[in-house]
Amino acid sequence: MPDMSASLALTHLLPLAKEVDENKVTPGVLGFIVFAVMAVAVWGLMKSMNKHMQRVDFKETDSSGEKAGTAGESSRQE
């Protein structure tokens, strides 16, 4: 029975495919708007990531497990 429903769906969609002119299929204005919104979103995310990465204060630990730097430094930033 699954083959019958698939062929039935194809017979209903086939006339719709014939109406589309193969030489004039373009993404159109909606495609451009979606692409532009995605580009702005990626730009905003990368700008935010850059800002967050600049805030990271990474200090390596030596082999004994102590933080590098002076002994009086607080590990907590405010």
Side-chain angles (χ1 to χ4, degrees):
M1 288 294 169
D3 295 335
M4 182 181 245
S5 62
S7 64
L8 183 63
L10 286 175
T11 57
H12 286 292
L13 293 175
L14 192 59
L16 294 175
K18 290 181 182 178
E19 294 175 7
V20 177
D21 186 9
E22 294 177 7
N23 296 325
K24 295 186 179 184
V25 175
T26 62
V29 177
L30 181 62
F32 174 75
I33 291 171
V34 168
F35 182 77
V37 167
M38 287 174 54
V40 169
V42 168
W43 176 77
L45 285 170
M46 290 192 61
K47 188 171 179 160
S48 175
M49 182 186 70
N50 190 22
K51 189 169 87 173
H52 282 86
M53 291 299 286
Q54 287 177 355
R55 289 184 186 174
V56 173
D57 185 26
F58 177 74
K59 295 184 180 178
E60 290 190 37
T61 57
D62 60 6
S63 61
S64 66
E66 296 177 10
K67 287 193 173 190
T70 61
E73 283 184 353
S74 173
S75 63
R76 184 174 171 210
Q77 282 187 342
E78 293 181 19

